Amino acid sequence: MSTWLRQHWQTFSLTLARLAGNPLATLLNVMVIGVALALPLGGYMLLQNLGSVTRQVTGNPQVSLFLAPEAGKADVAAIEARLRQMPGVRAVRFISREQALAGLKRSENMAEVIAALQSNPLPDAFVVEAGGSAAELEKMEPELKALPKVAHVQLDSAWVKRLETLVALGRTAVLILATLLAFGLVAVTFNTIRLQILTQKDEIEVSKLIGATDAFIRRPFFYLGFIQGTLGALAALAIVYLCMLILNRSILALAQLYGSDFRLGFFGFPDCLALLTFAAMLGWLGAYMSVSRHLADIEPR
């Protein structure tokens, strides 16, 4: 066992030495892999942050009922009684037109506009909070619209659903892009290993003449692909992290205008480890395909 481990360590050290001996070519290959991985990785990070915002603002599903202008106090009481009797309704809150107008007046952006109005244009409204999901609330929508003196029903979670749909679409697009660029990573590794095999052709022939096994000859090329994939993943993480720092400066300034401290968050350790493992395996796969294709063509003369 110790002999086997020593052989692998020697091969690993030799591979690192060869990469360090040609730093420019190594850097270019690593940066190509890093940029290819950074594109879907950056998209995934943005979608992950957007998804967390969506989950924070979703809260309990709500629906707003806007009453007709001619609705009186008796109509308001009757509607409230009907709403509280409906199954699935968790809470009912009445907002009079005067309360709604006072709320708008407290907003400094709307104060001048409200002051210029001759009369109150806002209707009385009910905010209904459901105890179930947004889907259950949508099933109640026709019944709510049928209530007397109800002019309009608006699902407050509708925009969240649209946002979630866009996020899901973005995830699909990132997955497609990641798949295409994964093939690119394999192709880069395949070509790099092919060039290494051609460069070491004489060395490989001599190794076969003195009895070296195929496993022994293949081993350094597998390590080369593995190391290149890992270094490429580290480069991708560095690129995405640097871009995140640059974007957060602008995002923080924008968020402060809305009274928020939102900023992009980076990946946790499990996500980083998954990326490193995925890229290393893709590098190994490219090396395996290249070695299987080209090494068999080299035979001692």
Side-chain angles (χ1 to χ4, degrees):
M1 183 66 178
S2 60
T3 302
W4 181 83
L5 290 174
R6 186 170 62 253
Q7 288 176 350
H8 276 270
W9 174 250
Q10 289 174 349
T11 304
F12 182 78
S13 301
L14 179 62
T15 304
L16 285 178
R18 283 180 172 171
L19 287 172
N22 196 355
L24 181 60
T26 300
L27 179 62
L28 291 176
N29 285 328
V30 168
M31 289 307 300
V32 168
I33 296 172
V35 171
L37 290 174
L39 292 174
L41 188 65
Y44 176 72
M45 184 191 70
L46 292 175
L47 291 172
Q48 195 176 47
N49 282 274
L50 185 58
S52 65
V53 173
T54 303
R55 288 189 294 271
Q56 290 175 5
V57 301
T58 299
N60 293 321
Q62 293 181 340
V63 62
S64 299
L65 280 69
F66 299 98
L67 307 186
E70 65 272 13
K73 292 184 178 180
D75 298 317
V76 171
I79 294 173
E80 183 173 0
R82 288 281 300 276
L83 290 174
R84 295 188 182 279
Q85 292 174 0
M86 286 184 177
V89 173
R90 180 177 178 180
V92 177
R93 181 162 55 95
F94 176 69
I95 302 176
S96 67
R97 52 196 310 218
E98 291 78 14
Q99 289 175 324
L101 185 64
L104 284 179
K105 285 182 178 178
R106 287 194 293 270
S107 173
E108 66 178 78
N109 295 330
M110 296 294 296
E112 294 182 3
V113 177
I114 298 301
L117 295 176
Q118 299 294 327
S119 60
N120 186 357
L122 302 177
D124 294 326
F126 281 99
V127 176
V128 179
E129 185 177 310
S133 63
E136 294 177 358
L137 193 60
E138 288 180 359
K139 294 179 181 179
M140 297 170 55
E141 186 178 5
E143 186 178 358
L144 295 173
K145 287 182 176 179
L147 293 174
K149 303 299 182 180
V150 173
H152 181 65
V153 175
Q154 176 180 323
L155 290 173
D156 296 342
S157 61
W159 71 273
V160 177
K161 291 189 64 177
R162 287 192 289 268
L163 181 59
E164 290 176 344
T165 303
L166 289 175
V167 171
L169 177 62
R171 288 197 182 100
T172 303
V174 168
L175 179 61
I176 294 173
L177 179 61
T179 303
L180 293 175
L181 292 176
F183 281 111
L185 190 156
V186 172
V188 169
T189 307
F190 182 94
N191 188 59
T192 302
I193 300 300
R194 182 182 69 85
L195 294 175
Q196 285 290 327
I197 292 173
L198 294 178
T199 302
Q200 299 174 230
K201 181 178 179 181
D202 294 337
E203 182 181 339
I204 293 170
E205 289 180 352
V206 172
S207 298
K208 286 188 174 184
L209 281 173
I210 62 177
T213 63
D214 287 343
F216 179 83
I217 296 173
R218 292 166 183 246
R219 192 179 301 153
F221 299 110
F222 290 159
Y223 274 121
L224 178 60
F226 183 89
I227 293 171
Q228 277 196 337
T230 304
L231 292 177
L234 290 173
L237 289 172
I239 292 171
V240 173
Y241 184 75
L242 180 61
C243 292
M244 183 198 71
L245 293 179
I246 296 173
L247 287 174
N248 270 339
R249 293 182 180 180
S250 301
I251 290 174
L252 186 59
L254 179 63
Q256 287 176 345
L257 297 177
Y258 292 91
S260 172
D261 59 349
F262 173 77
R263 65 183 64 197
L264 295 175
F266 198 61
F267 302 105
F269 178 75
D271 289 330
C272 294
L273 183 60
L275 175 67
L276 291 172
T277 304
F278 177 69
M281 290 300 101
L282 285 179
W284 180 90
L285 177 62
Y288 176 81
M289 293 172 61
S290 184
V291 169
S292 301
R293 168 67 179 82
H294 299 289
L295 200 58
D297 297 335
I298 301 177
E299 292 295 336
R301 294 187 297 273

